[in-house]
Amino acid sequence: MKRPRRKARSAWIDIIFSVAILSLTAFAVFLFMKPTDHQSNASGKKEEHRPVPVIVDQIASNYPGIKIIIETSNDKRTPFAIQYPQSIHSEFNEEVTKYITDIREQYINDSEKKTAKNDDVTGELNIAFETLLHHSGNYSFVLFNSSSFSDDQNGVMEIRSFHLNPETGERFTIADLFAHDLEKLSALSTLLREAIYEDESLKNHLLIDEIHLRTEPSWRNFNNFALTDEALLFYFDPATIAEESVGPAIINIPLDRLKGIISDEYQLPEHQPQNQDTDASNPIDHNGKEGKQSEKVERDDEKVSDDQDSTKDAETPIENVEKKVALTFDDGPDPKVTKQILEVLARHDAKATFFMLGSRVEYYPELAKAVMEAGHELGNHTWNHPDLTKLNADRVRKEIANTSKIIEEVTGEQAKSFRPPYGAVNQSVRAQTDLPVTLWDVDTLDWKHRNANKLLEIVKGNVKDGSTILMHDIHQSTADGLEDVLNYLEAEGYTFVTVSELD
Ligand code: ZN
């Protein structure tokens, strides 16, 4: 009696034992497969995530009045390394710390949402900054903030600038640099666009439509900037003006190009050599910075630039120099507007350059011929006005060659220069033509405001000796406003030359 019972009992024990061994083995296998940081789960209860304390450090910077705050967290899920500047001025300090706090909180929140679904997701957050100094004593701080999570290939990168006069505590803005003047803003917009198109590192990667939106003359488009003794720099987050693959874009406008529009106190320091090859910034060396410095290395040879002229301006009294300006009209010919423009120009005996579209020359051959016979210069503006940087070489060649061909057929004269639509040009576009490429330095934005009075306003605010003025002979307002523009320029002592005469 006892024996069978004992047998039965030992059979139960055997079963329990086997099950126990099996589950232990399974558990051991499970542990072996799982990442090591979850071994603490062997205790059986679900481990609570406990954030580790943040280490805050403070060091002196190389810049008087500025200290660097370093916050580090070695938390497993949400590690971060954050550096930011602080001064003795509380408003500035609060502005910066609010920005930092918002980013840090957003990062922790994002992490919580992700780990609620998947325990294993880990994040990364880095904020580093550069300090750039202007001789006026003003500081620009540029913060590079990048974050990512292990479950997402694409991280986020954002650039944000802060500005401080360390003496007064004043936080200057881009509008302060340009005296809150809208005409100057418009000139800045043009210069920035030009600089973007000239930037070697962005070539073939530009997002043309985005560039036009983000450089429109509105102060908030220019908020992310830094001022040095050589240049004004503008920062764009990745995938804003150029493809994501090229990262953030840093566009450099040499200060000598901003002469006359940037306020006096931010002008070039006197007796400072104006060397465009100098590195525009002297960033503090710090780790974790991913923003690349895109220095302007070369300038477009063909580009109508006032480079030599403007460096001489400092010594040469302007009154003694014969001032020249090139008027240019794009996108025509147009049966009504071009005719009217020809009449206005004839009254002033002014010669201009017309960048024509091949398709319109084909449509209005007599008009194209009339422009030539009136003594104006003809330029090539492609057949259909595409963004050439987005076409393959073969199509680019055809756009340009067919237009040159029809201009010559119809007028008997060759186009003397080439202007790419939207000013969008790169090496492979240039390689498709022998014609010199002509851009502009004064953008009247006539296509946008369609306002005859505004045409004069913008010319007044931006023209200088050697300028090339961009207009369009397809807008009635341009024809209507031209008389005033010519009167003004004559009164200012300008002579009108064609684009090739300006070179
Ligand atoms: Zn055009």
Side-chain angles (χ1 to χ4, degrees), residues 484-495:
D484 285 350
V485 169
L486 295 184
N487 284 335
Y488 168 77
L489 291 171
E490 281 168 350
E492 289 292 305
Y494 283 96
T495 43

Side-chain angles (χ1 to χ4, degrees), residues 227-289:
L227 181 66
T228 73
D229 280 351
E230 287 83 29
L232 184 59
L233 296 100
F234 290 96
Y235 297 78
F236 294 92
D237 294 346
T240 54
I241 61 160
E243 289 158 17
E244 177 121 43
S245 60
V246 296
I250 305 171
I251 307 296
N252 181 333
I253 305 181
L255 281 196
D256 61 51
R257 281 205 196 176
L258 293 165
K259 253 189 202 166
I261 63 167
I262 195 163
S263 299
D264 285 345
E265 56 181 310
Y266 303 107
Q267 292 275 16
L268 281 177
E270 275 173 63
H271 312 300
Q272 174 99 1
Q274 298 172 10
N275 184 352
Q276 67 188 38
D277 292 333
T278 350
D279 188 351
S281 62
N282 292 302
I284 295 182
D285 200 12
H286 56 70
N287 43 14
K289 171 184 170 275

Side-chain angles (χ1 to χ4, degrees), residues 330-331 381 385 421 472:
D330 288 13
D331 297 1
H381 195 44
H385 210 268
H472 296 83

Side-chain angles (χ1 to χ4, degrees), residues 92-110:
F92 169 82
N93 292 354
E94 277 159 27
E95 189 189 5
V96 175
T97 46
K98 181 176 185 319
Y99 176 70
I100 297 289
T101 307
D102 288 351
I103 291 175
R104 199 200 302 105
E105 279 173 6
Q106 180 70 49
Y107 169 65
I108 307 272
N109 285 345
D110 288 350

Side-chain angles (χ1 to χ4, degrees), residues 31-98:
L31 284 181
F32 186 74
M33 309 285 283
K34 289 281 280 182
T36 49
D37 57 339
H38 283 258
Q39 276 182 8
S40 52
N41 279 3
S43 64
K45 61 177 186 232
K46 182 156 169 54
E47 187 207 23
E48 271 301 302
H49 175 76
R50 259 175 267 110
V52 304
V54 176
I55 304 155
V56 182
D57 237 325
Q58 193 183 100
I59 57 170
S61 80
N62 296 333
Y63 298 86
I66 303 299
K67 61 187 178 192
I68 304 170
I69 309 296
I70 304 168
E71 295 184 11
T72 321
S73 166
N74 294 317
D75 186 75
K76 273 179 191 143
R77 286 180 182 171
T78 53
F80 59 74
I82 299 174
Q83 298 178 16
Y84 57 93
Q86 293 282 268
S87 69
I88 55 162
H89 302 283
S90 57
E91 281 181 7
F92 169 82
N93 292 354
E94 277 159 27
E95 189 189 5
V96 175
T97 46
K98 181 176 185 319

